[in-house]
Amino acid sequence: MERIGVMDLRKQLGQRVDAAHFAGEATVVERHGTPRAVLVSYEWWVQHGGEETEPTEPTEAG
């Protein structure tokens, strides 16, 4: 599992998406050293309970 900062992710997004899709490699996205999200393949997400539906716009937490 790769750990990457938000700024580095911006530069490497295509590579990290390919790593998730083709190699099944998850990426933990950190901001200021704190994990914020995980990038995984769509297949993994669906197999682990994700819904196979149209995505919705994210909401901002106040």
Side-chain angles (χ1 to χ4, degrees):
M1 185 178 323
E2 181 81 17
R3 295 178 82 87
I4 191 169
V6 172
M7 297 306 287
D8 289 330
L9 178 63
R10 291 178 185 191
K11 298 174 190 172
Q12 300 176 26
L13 183 58
Q15 293 171 324
R16 301 312 320 151
V17 169
D18 285 349
H21 178 74
F22 294 112
E25 183 177 319
T27 299
V28 176
V29 181
E30 298 179 341
R31 186 169 204 166
H32 303 293
T34 302
R36 300 290 290 259
V38 179
L39 177 64
V40 296
S41 72
Y42 183 74
E43 181 179 330
W44 185 96
W45 180 73
V46 169
Q47 289 176 354
H48 289 83
E51 294 182 27
E52 204 165 356
T53 60
E54 289 295 314
T56 59
E57 291 296 316
T59 59
E60 287 191 35

